[in-house]
Amino acid sequence: MYLSSRTQGRLANLIITIAEGEKKTEIARQVLAEQKMFEPYTAFRRLDQLRSGELTVGDISDFLADNKIYPTQVQLEYLFKRLDLNHDGRITYPDFVKAILPKEDSRLRQIASLRDSYYIEVNMLLPTEVEWGLSRVLQQEIQNFNSITAAQEILTGSADFTSLDAFRCIDQLYIGYITIESLQTFLRGNGAKLTFDELQAFFRVVDSDEDGRITYSELLEAITFVPDYFQKERLIANELRRSRERITQLEKEREVLDDLQRSRERIDDLRRSRERLEQYQDLQKSRERLEDLRRSRERLDDLRRSRERLNQLEELQRSRQRIEQLEDLKKSRERQAQIDELRRSRERLDDLRRSRERLEQLEQERKNNEQLEELRKSRSRIEELQKQRRRIEDLRTSQERLDALKRNRDEQELRRSQERLNDLKKSRERLEQIEALRQSREQQRALDELRQSRERLDQLRVSQNRIDQLENERKALQRSRQIEREIEYERQRSKDRLERLELEAQLERQRERALEQEIVTQSKIVQSRIYDTPQRFY
């Protein structure tokens, strides 16, 4: 059921109200940031009278009361929610900075964040223009709440209004989320116009996870101030659906592995029959085929090495991204999780593609074996038995060569894995050295500026720099621990691969021994038959 045109017009009016309120707040933020005496950390300490490192509703109420602003409890709760951007129930300094600094003018935001902080005592007011600008930002948020509440009451008072129908009216393509294009189309259909900056302002207010999309839960909370109580259930259902898909995928992979095992057994049977019926030319062809297989294995090893190099490059790229994330406060942890999920899905696609290529190769070998079997039926058994000894010797030599190649390959893989571990350790040490050099340069530059400007605040700034250095060291330790865990995981994987290769080599040796024994017995039987039967002339 869709909304009527009148209700859609009220919904468009609410969207315009939210966007205009955010634009007014942005203007107040820019006016505050242009004040030369405004510094974010000093302003945060002005509100944090208890010096607890986080703001409460009481701290905000006391600050507004000092500036002759007396909001209600509901308005204070809304203001607290607007400042608590990560929704953890606390307003820390990063939340305060992100909510107070300008969001459209990056130059002005950088200028305000790079200003020097100054000491402020408990119950001491900021300069008059800074105090007025900060209270103006908070007062504008309260005014936005009043106008949004009035528009919400008009919208929810409609008889045909439901939040789901409102979402469907905007999401006309049924993609499950709202984009800037779909929102602009909805507003144009209802005779309303918003600029691109105003649309971005609306998304800043409603899009809480900052992914460029507005989900049903975010729209419901924006137009009714009611949280989506079924969001957790939806997340659990999505996780269950993903787990079921993974289970089905694992079952399919297990079926593919079973098919591979059966195909290997068939190949072994075909090889046994081929060894009993092939001639010297067939043996020559088998040698050529073994050479082709060796080349294909070398190609697979090259592809595996290139993939490992790509993984190393991706790991270096991720480490660089982590360093950039430390410098830039805008990047979030969810974006990194999405990148990791995309990398895992790409690895799964690579595994599926390799399994499909193996299946195609096995199918081609099966067809070739069938053709060879048809050719072998036309050849006589007597000539094959006379040349059996030569084939046995050639097979022994080829087996010894294959064993030597396998041993060399295992040693090379062990050497490469050790070199990769050493390279990772060296890269981690280089990153730590670069981070330490960068921090030392920043500290030296900050100390030079502080000595020239204000000599009285040297001790406080040195202590602040020490605290920042300790925090950076703690983060560097966390990064190094994470890298060590990744190295340990890669080491375990290489160990598992080695064990798997050793098991396959043992199985191959046992099979070759059984084949040699069978060939020896067959040759003895043939020799006895040849010696026992009279000579025939053809």
Side-chain angles (χ1 to χ4, degrees):
M1 179 179 179
Y2 291 156
L3 303 178
S4 62
S5 58
R6 184 177 181 183
T7 307
Q8 290 182 16
R10 292 176 177 178
L11 178 60
N13 185 24
L14 175 59
I15 293 171
I16 293 171
T17 303
I18 295 172
E20 290 177 350
E22 176 62 21
K23 288 295 290 182
K24 292 178 182 177
T25 307
E26 179 64 21
I27 293 171
R29 293 193 195 104
Q30 293 179 5
V31 171
L32 174 63
E34 288 174 354
Q35 304 298 327
K36 295 182 179 180
M37 292 300 294
F38 169 70
E39 195 277 322
Y41 184 70
T42 307
F44 180 77
R45 289 175 64 85
R46 161 68 179 91
L47 272 72
D48 186 15
Q49 296 292 333
L50 299 177
R51 300 296 187 265
S52 61
E54 58 185 39
L55 302 180
T56 61
V57 177
D59 294 334
I60 298 172
S61 178
D62 294 339
F63 173 76
L64 293 174
D66 292 340
N67 290 275
K68 304 298 185 294
I69 301 171
Y70 303 99
T72 61
Q73 186 64 29
V74 178
Q75 293 172 347
L76 283 173
E77 290 176 356
Y78 174 78
L79 186 58
F80 185 86
K81 185 178 179 182
R82 290 287 298 142
L83 295 176
D84 184 16
L85 297 178
N86 56 1
H87 304 291
D88 59 351
R90 301 184 305 159
I91 301 176
T92 57
Y93 176 65
D95 295 334
F96 180 78
V97 169
K98 197 171 182 180
I100 294 301
L101 290 181
K103 299 184 179 180
E104 295 180 358
D105 194 345
S106 59
R107 183 188 64 82
L108 189 59
R109 180 174 63 250
Q110 186 176 6
I111 290 172
S113 60
L114 292 176
R115 290 193 183 110
D116 296 331
S117 61
Y118 51 91
Y119 179 71
I120 183 171
E121 296 180 355
V122 179
N123 296 326
M124 180 179 176
L125 300 179
L126 296 169
T128 306
E129 61 274 10
V130 179
E131 191 87 9
W132 177 84
L134 184 57
S135 62
R136 183 72 181 82
V137 173
L138 300 180
Q139 187 180 11
Q140 185 61 49
E141 290 287 353
I142 295 171
Q143 292 176 359
N144 294 341
F145 171 74
N146 295 332
S147 59
I148 292 169
T149 305
Q152 282 178 353
E153 290 177 355
I154 296 172
L155 176 62
T156 54
S158 301
D160 60 342
F161 170 75
T162 60
S163 58
L164 184 59
D165 289 337
F167 182 79
R168 288 175 178 173
C169 285
I170 303 175
D171 183 21
Q172 296 179 1
L173 298 177
Y174 298 101
I175 57 177
Y177 53 86
I178 298 172
T179 60
I180 292 180
E181 291 78 9
S182 60
L183 182 62
Q184 194 170 14
T185 303
F186 170 75
L187 293 173
R188 286 176 181 173
N190 289 277
K193 281 188 178 180
L194 284 180
T195 62
F196 187 74
D197 292 337
E198 290 173 344
L199 289 171
Q200 284 185 334
F202 176 77
F203 266 73
R204 281 201 303 270
V205 176
V206 180
D207 187 11
S208 58
D209 54 359
E210 297 180 359
D211 59 350
R213 303 173 180 178
I214 297 176
T215 60
Y216 172 70
S217 303
E218 293 170 346
L219 184 67
L220 176 64
E221 191 171 357
I223 64 177
T224 61
F225 287 155
V226 176
D228 188 5
Y229 295 103
F230 298 100
Q231 187 175 6
K232 293 182 179 179
E233 286 77 1
R234 289 197 188 95
L235 293 175
I236 292 169
N238 291 329
E239 288 293 332
L240 288 173
R241 182 174 54 78
R242 293 192 194 98
S243 63
R244 286 174 184 171
E245 291 177 355
R246 288 171 187 159
I247 289 168
T248 54
Q249 186 178 2
L250 289 172
E251 289 178 353
K252 290 179 181 178
E253 289 178 357
R254 186 176 62 185
E255 291 177 356
V256 170
L257 290 173
D258 294 336
D259 294 335
L260 285 172
Q261 187 67 27
R262 287 193 292 271
S263 62
R264 284 179 181 176
E265 292 175 358
R266 292 172 187 169
I267 289 168
D268 293 334
D269 295 334
L270 290 171
R271 188 174 61 184
R272 293 189 191 98
S273 61
R274 181 188 62 190
E275 289 175 355
R276 291 169 185 167
L277 299 173
E278 67 183 358
Q279 294 178 354
Y280 178 75
Q281 294 177 357
D282 297 330
L283 182 60
Q284 188 67 26
K285 291 179 180 178
S286 65
R287 287 178 182 174
E288 292 176 357
R289 194 178 297 108
L290 286 172
E291 189 68 23
D292 294 334
L293 287 172
R294 185 177 62 79
R295 293 194 193 95
S296 64
R297 285 180 182 175
E298 290 177 355
R299 290 172 186 171
L300 287 173
D301 292 336
D302 294 335
L303 289 173
R304 194 181 297 109
R305 286 194 293 272
S306 63
R307 183 187 165 198
E308 290 174 355
R309 290 170 186 169
L310 287 174
N311 290 330
Q312 289 179 1
L313 291 173
E314 289 177 357
E315 289 176 357
L316 290 173
Q317 188 177 3
R318 286 195 297 274
S319 63
R320 290 177 183 174
Q321 288 177 357
R322 289 171 189 165
I323 294 171
E324 293 175 356
Q325 284 175 358
L326 291 173
E327 295 175 355
D328 193 4
L329 295 174
K330 282 186 175 181
K331 295 181 180 179
S332 61
R333 296 178 182 175
E334 295 180 358
R335 193 173 299 170
Q336 186 66 30
Q338 291 177 357
I339 294 170
D340 294 336
E341 187 67 25
L342 287 173
R343 183 174 59 80
R344 295 189 195 99
S345 63
R346 185 174 60 188
E347 291 178 356
R348 291 172 191 159
L349 288 173
D350 292 336
D351 295 334
L352 289 173
R353 187 172 62 251
R354 286 195 298 274
S355 63
R356 184 167 51 185
E357 289 176 356
R358 290 173 187 169
L359 287 173
E360 290 176 356
Q361 186 177 3
L362 291 171
E363 185 67 22
Q364 188 66 28
E365 288 182 358
R366 186 180 64 80
K367 292 179 180 178
N368 293 329
N369 288 324
E370 289 177 355
Q371 293 176 0
L372 290 171
E373 188 174 359
E374 290 177 357
L375 291 172
R376 293 188 198 100
K377 287 179 182 178
S378 63
R379 296 184 179 98
S380 62
R381 187 179 295 177
I382 296 171
E383 293 177 357
E384 188 270 327
L385 292 172
Q386 291 175 355
K387 296 177 182 179
Q388 192 112 14
R389 291 181 181 179
R390 296 178 184 175
R391 191 174 64 253
I392 292 168
E393 292 176 357
D394 293 332
L395 285 172
R396 285 178 181 174
T397 56
S398 64
Q399 183 61 35
E400 289 175 357
R401 290 174 184 173
L402 286 173
D403 292 334
L405 288 172
K406 287 180 181 178
R407 286 194 298 271
N408 292 328
R409 186 181 62 187
D410 295 337
E411 290 175 358
Q412 288 176 2
E413 287 181 356
L414 284 172
R415 197 179 300 109
R416 291 191 194 96
S417 62
Q418 188 65 32
E419 289 175 357
R420 285 198 299 272
L421 290 173
N422 293 329
D423 293 335
L424 287 173
K425 290 180 181 178
K426 290 179 182 178
S427 63
R428 185 182 65 185
E429 292 175 357
R430 289 173 185 171
L431 288 173
E432 291 176 354
Q433 290 176 1
I434 291 168
E435 186 67 19
L437 288 172
R438 186 179 63 79
Q439 291 175 2
S440 63
R441 289 175 183 175
E442 290 177 357
Q443 290 174 1
Q444 187 65 33
R445 194 183 300 110
L447 287 172
D448 293 334
E449 292 176 358
L450 288 170
R451 288 194 193 96
Q452 292 176 3
S453 62
R454 296 174 183 175
E455 294 180 355
R456 296 178 183 178
L457 300 175
D458 287 340
Q459 295 179 356
L460 292 175
R461 290 175 183 173
V462 169
S463 63
Q464 184 65 32
N465 289 326
R466 288 176 183 173
I467 292 169
D468 294 336
Q469 185 178 3
L470 290 172
E471 183 68 21
N472 291 325
E473 289 178 357
R474 184 179 65 80
K475 293 178 180 179
L477 286 172
Q478 290 179 357
R479 289 197 302 274
S480 64
R481 289 172 185 169
Q482 188 174 2
I483 292 170
E484 288 177 357
R485 286 195 295 270
E486 292 177 356
I487 292 169
E488 186 66 26
Y489 176 70
E490 189 66 27
R491 188 181 300 162
Q492 188 66 29
R493 286 183 62 187
S494 63
K495 189 184 294 182
D496 294 337
R497 289 175 187 169
L498 288 173
E499 291 176 357
R500 197 181 302 111
L501 288 171
E502 289 176 358
L503 289 174
E504 289 179 356
Q506 290 177 2
L507 290 173
E508 192 66 28
R509 292 192 192 99
Q510 291 176 1
R511 289 173 184 170
E512 293 297 333
R513 290 195 192 103
L515 288 172
E516 288 178 0
Q517 291 177 2
E518 187 176 356
I519 290 168
V520 170
T521 55
Q522 290 290 334
S523 63
K524 288 179 181 179
I525 292 167
V526 171
Q527 287 177 3
S528 64
R529 288 179 180 175
I530 290 170
Y531 295 145
D532 292 338
T533 55
Q535 188 175 4
R536 296 180 182 179
F537 297 94
Y538 297 96

